[in-house]
Amino acid sequence: MPLPTRLSRLAVPLFLLFAPVAVGADLRTDIDRMADQFEPRVIEWRRDIHQNPELGNREFRTAGKVAGHLKALGLEVRTGIAHTGVVAVLRGGKPGPVVALRADMDALPMTEEVDLPFASKVRTTWAGKETGVMHACGHDTHVAMLMGAAEILTKVRERLPGTVKFIFQPAEESPPPGEEGGAALMIKQGVMENPRPDVVFGLHIGSMYETGTIAYRPGPVMAAADILHITVQGRQTHGSAPWTGVDPIVVAAQIVMGLQTIVSRQINVTQEPAVVSIGGIEGGNRFNIIPDKVEMIGTIRTFDEAMRDDIHRRVKTTAEHIAEAAGAQATVVIEKPYAVTVNDPDLTERMLPTLKRVAGADNVKLRGKTTGAEDFSFFAQKAPGLFVFLGGSPKGTDLTKVAYNHSPRFYVDESALKLGMRSLVHLTVDYMESPQKR
């Protein structure tokens, strides 16, 4: 597949000529000129990070690269937040609001299958198994785009009516088992204080849209993602005489079927969508032995907190009662690593003209909800947030056949990076320009 490195120039929408005078068309023109100038460097950063991916809480090289760049720009830089996180503060030349911009840095335990000259060859051990490491979710592009945005904003700092906080976050894909990490730990360690952001912006690249496209949605846009653990305790016996024990495998199968009725028969799905899925069952090691116990893992996805709590209660009740009826015991543990990602409706409406100006009105799409999850959600709980989606598939691609995020064949059209960088900068400047609307 070719490696395009430039976006064709976007036509300037007519209403750009009537931009608010407080910021001025000249500043916007300077921003876009610098985006053209820095695009090759952003692509170079992305390729370097892509070729050297690091898992959550282990982003030492990436964090070092980011911190070195931000320090060279003369920003106030803090490192080691939530293990490897980096935060920098840019104080503009005029008083005004605080805008936070966030990028995630971690890769996934996955072996890359894309034929690129900068493909990852990194190997590691994850969950006791040897695996490759790959930026299969585009976090390498997020880091590079925010590094570019930081440079542009630094060069116009005297014209900025406000402060920018750059947040480079580790472990968005969740930290290693037994460790804390990600947005929640950064917040616990004070990343949303001193200075406290008035708003927070983020974006995510994906292959489900063509390059040049930005997708958005006000309100709940990404689901809460919970991790479900169920242990079914039976009583081991010989497979030829199941009546002499309690078979946890049969009980586990009944629980799987019972859980499917929660969404299909017990929840009002006209209110919000929901998902309950079992992703793994493990128990037993011989054909003629009924084991003592079975371990099950799964996920729950919801968009409403009350529905989330209700489903958790129903999962627990269903599993425990099915097991009890068979003489077994079910223990249910539900972890809640990702909250619902909610785009503040007022902020979304306010910034929509910016997105349309930057990408072109026809390229800004209202999207549906996605049952994927993002821990940007925790930042958006602390300040009004807007999280948008950046198209990363080459123009003319059959989007029904592309490899989606988290695939070993996930591919990013690098010409998308300039639009992402421009979007972050223009969202920042346009929000600062009208503080009376906060």
Side-chain angles (χ1 to χ4, degrees):
M1 187 177 289
L3 297 174
T5 58
R6 303 288 296 181
L7 278 171
S8 59
R9 290 190 176 275
L10 298 173
V12 179
L14 186 61
F15 59 81
L16 180 56
L17 302 176
F18 302 97
V21 296
V23 168
D26 288 344
L27 178 55
R28 291 188 171 88
T29 300
D30 288 345
I31 288 169
D32 289 340
R33 175 182 53 78
M34 285 187 283
D36 287 338
Q37 176 186 346
F38 298 151
E39 182 187 17
R41 192 182 313 169
V42 169
I43 292 173
E44 181 183 348
W45 288 330
R46 182 263 166 160
R47 292 184 178 186
D48 179 70
I49 296 167
H50 187 91
Q51 197 166 22
N52 298 278
E54 297 168 300
L55 297 177
N57 286 357
R58 306 292 187 270
E59 305 93 340
F60 302 110
R61 183 184 185 278
T62 306
K65 187 179 188 72
V66 168
H69 174 65
L70 298 175
K71 289 176 182 177
L73 295 176
L75 304 183
E76 305 169 27
V77 180
R78 292 174 57 207
T79 60
I81 304 171
H83 303 293
T84 54
V86 181
V87 177
V89 175
L90 167 63
R91 302 186 189 276
K94 306 171 187 178
V98 179
V99 176
L101 302 176
R102 175 270 201 171
D104 37 11
M105 300 190 295
D106 55 322
L108 287 158
M110 183 178 296
T111 301
E112 183 161 10
E113 297 179 10
V114 186
D115 184 16
L116 297 172
F118 52 90
S120 169
K121 307 299 183 185
V122 176
R123 305 289 296 177
T124 192
T125 300
W126 174 262
K129 297 179 181 179
E130 185 182 355
T131 179
V133 183
M134 177 192 176
H135 272 291
C137 203
H139 297 185
D140 51 335
T141 70
H142 303 168
V143 173
M145 287 185 283
L146 189 53
M147 289 171 69
E151 184 154 358
I152 292 174
L153 288 165
T154 299
K155 290 187 179 301
V156 299
R157 69 188 305 166
E158 295 305 318
R159 290 187 274 175
L160 292 181
T163 296
V164 188
K165 177 173 274 191
F166 302 98
I167 301 172
F168 291 84
Q169 178 208 311
E172 191 281 326
E173 300 288 358
S174 76
E179 297 183 18
E180 280 190 281
L185 185 56
M186 292 195 88
I187 291 168
K188 183 188 293 188
Q189 296 183 358
V191 74
M192 295 296 278
E193 305 294 338
N194 302 318
R196 183 178 182 85
D198 292 275
V199 293
V200 56
F201 296 122
L203 58 76
H204 204 302
I205 201 164
S207 56
M208 68 290 294
Y209 296 103
E210 286 187 349
T211 292
T213 302
I214 293 176
Y216 75 98
R217 183 177 186 83
V221 60
M222 300 187 77
D226 304 318
I227 303 174
L228 173 61
H229 303 266
I230 302 176
T231 301
V232 180
Q233 184 67 52
R235 189 169 72 251
Q236 185 167 324
T237 189
H238 199 287
S240 66
W243 56 88
T244 62
V246 176
D247 190 340
I249 293 179
V250 172
V251 174
Q254 292 173 331
I255 290 173
V256 171
M257 298 308 296
L259 294 179
Q260 304 314 301
T261 68
I262 293 175
V263 173
S264 66
R265 291 296 181 268
Q266 302 174 42
I267 296 298
N268 181 359
V269 292
T270 65
Q271 177 186 349
E272 291 285 2
V275 174
V276 178
S277 293
I278 296 297
I281 302 176
E282 183 175 352
N285 60 7
R286 184 173 167 82
F287 75 97
N288 64 345
I289 298 176
I290 292 174
D292 258 344
K293 68 179 181 179
V294 169
E295 303 281 350
M296 307 163 65
I297 55 173
T299 187
I300 301 170
R301 306 292 171 116
T302 51
F303 291 91
D304 176 85
E305 283 299 323
M307 183 183 288
R308 185 185 195 185
D309 292 341
D310 185 34
I311 290 176
H312 288 190
R313 179 184 61 80
R314 292 175 185 273
V315 166
K316 189 172 187 295
T317 299
T318 298
E320 289 177 347
H321 287 187
I322 288 175
E324 182 182 5
Q329 182 180 23
T331 303
V332 179
V333 176
I334 301 175
E335 302 175 55
K336 301 170 71 172
Y338 297 93
V340 181
T341 302
V342 179
N343 281 334
D344 182 89
D346 292 338
L347 180 63
T348 305
E349 181 181 4
R350 176 179 166 185
M351 304 316 300
L352 188 56
T354 298
L355 297 176
K356 290 183 176 180
R357 188 187 74 242
V358 173
D362 291 342
N363 296 318
V364 178
K365 313 290 186 181
L366 177 65
R367 65 160 298 153
K369 295 173 182 174
T370 174
T371 46
E374 247 284 350
D375 72 358
F376 179 87
S377 54
F378 295 113
F379 295 118
Q381 290 177 345
K382 297 298 181 180
L386 175 59
F387 192 75
V388 299
F389 300 85
L390 180 69
S393 283
K395 289 184 180 296
T397 299
D398 183 348
L399 298 178
T400 66
K401 296 180 180 178
V402 297
Y404 277 19
N405 298 51
H406 288 221
S407 165
R409 293 171 293 281
F410 177 67
Y411 171 81
V412 169
D413 176 5
E414 291 177 326
S415 65
L417 273 59
K418 185 171 72 173
L419 176 58
M421 175 173 53
R422 291 177 59 235
S423 299
L424 292 171
V425 176
H426 283 288
L427 285 169
T428 300
V429 171
D430 286 4
Y431 181 83
M432 287 181 174
E433 185 270 336
S434 49
Q436 73 278 2
K437 295 181 182 178
R438 294 207 307 280

